Amino acid sequence: MKIAMIGSGYVGLVSGACFADFGHQVICVDKEKSKIDKLDNNIMPIYEPGLAGLVQRNVEAGRLSFSTNLGESVNDCDAVFIAVGTPSRRGDGHADLSYVYAAAEEIADAVTKPTVIVTKSTVPVGTGDEVELILSRKLPADQFAVVSNPEFLREGAAIDDFK
Ligand SMILES: NC(=O)c1ccc[n+]([C@@H]2O[C@H](COP(=O)([O-])OP(=O)(O)OC[C@H]3O[C@@H](n4cnc5c(N)ncnc54)[C@H](O)[C@@H]3O)[C@@H](O)[C@H]2O)c1
């Protein structure tokens, strides 16, 4: 499958590298250019045992790449994972879902073929309905499906946990 990970932080990068290691074609996207520049030079923005080798192996095999351009990255994918941050909001402590919804808007503008949109970020119940609503404003119903695949990896054991 051709997969895009939106957000190349802990979850997006580890998940993307592991999916590539399973044989999928993966592009990891991030809006932080410095992060993508580092990854293009095989410098990991986080420390995770085994990650640099996993990334290097899959980049060299042509299965893993990095980009700051969400639109170009998602338009011919089978599945697009939303793995952006959901920090606790000041005041009420609820998850700030603005990054998730902003990513959904950008994906809706870019999808050109039937695509599965997967929420991997940690989100409250009902977020999938909201993501579906955002996509449905711009895409016909037969062009997308929204599913939930929350991540439970632990930092420091992320690759084993994911796999
Ligand atoms: N880190 C963990 O151990 C862990 C474990 C399980 C679940 N989670 C959940 O997974 C989600 C991601 O966590 P993380 O630790 O990877 O976050 P992170 O902050 O390390 O990475 C998120 C990345 O998303 C990027 N981003 C935000 N909006 C974007 C956009 N529109 N387009 C492209 N890139 C964008 C940011 O620049 C950042 O690099 C959160 O919901 C978190 O709660 C984290």
Side-chain angles (χ1 to χ4, degrees):
M1 280 206 317
K2 195 154 184 221
I3 293 172
M5 300 294 312
I6 309 306
S8 304
Y10 228 103
V11 167
L13 180 58
V14 169
S15 307
C18 288
F19 275 133
D21 211 42
F22 290 155
H24 297 290
Q25 190 69 36
V26 180
I27 185 155
C28 288
V29 180
D30 207 284
K31 61 183 182 183
E32 236 181 80
K33 187 175 178 308
S34 60
K35 200 171 267 190
I36 295 301
D37 287 346
K38 277 188 185 165
L39 287 166
D40 279 335
N41 289 295
N42 202 43
I43 299 166
M44 297 302 105
I46 53 170
Y47 176 70
E48 182 62 32
L51 185 62
L54 186 73
V55 167
Q56 186 174 13
R57 190 163 73 241
N58 284 282
V59 168
E60 283 171 3
R63 289 187 298 263
L64 179 62
S65 59
F66 306 99
S67 176
T68 53
N69 190 324
L70 186 149
E72 277 178 11
S73 302
V74 309
N75 66 12
D76 62 344
C77 282
D78 303 296
V80 177
F81 285 76
I82 299 177
V84 300
T86 50
S88 292
R89 253 181 353 211
R90 267 189 158 186
D92 62 12
H94 290 182
D96 176 356
L97 300 174
S98 58
Y99 300 102
V100 173
Y101 296 149
E105 293 278 1
E106 287 184 71
I107 294 165
D109 285 331
V111 160
T112 55
K113 63 169 232 187
T115 308
V116 180
I117 315 300
V118 191
T119 47
K120 203 163 217 356
S121 298
T122 304
V123 294
V125 170
T127 306
D129 292 340
E130 192 60 36
V131 168
E132 193 168 64
L133 190 65
I134 290 168
L135 290 155
S136 69
R137 289 192 194 115
K138 290 176 179 165
L139 295 172
D142 60 358
Q143 282 287 98
F144 73 94
V146 176
V147 303
S148 173
N149 174 222
E151 185 52 61
F152 297 103
L153 59 75
R154 292 164 301 168
E155 295 181 11
I159 294 169
D160 278 351
D161 284 352
F162 181 90
K163 287 192 167 180

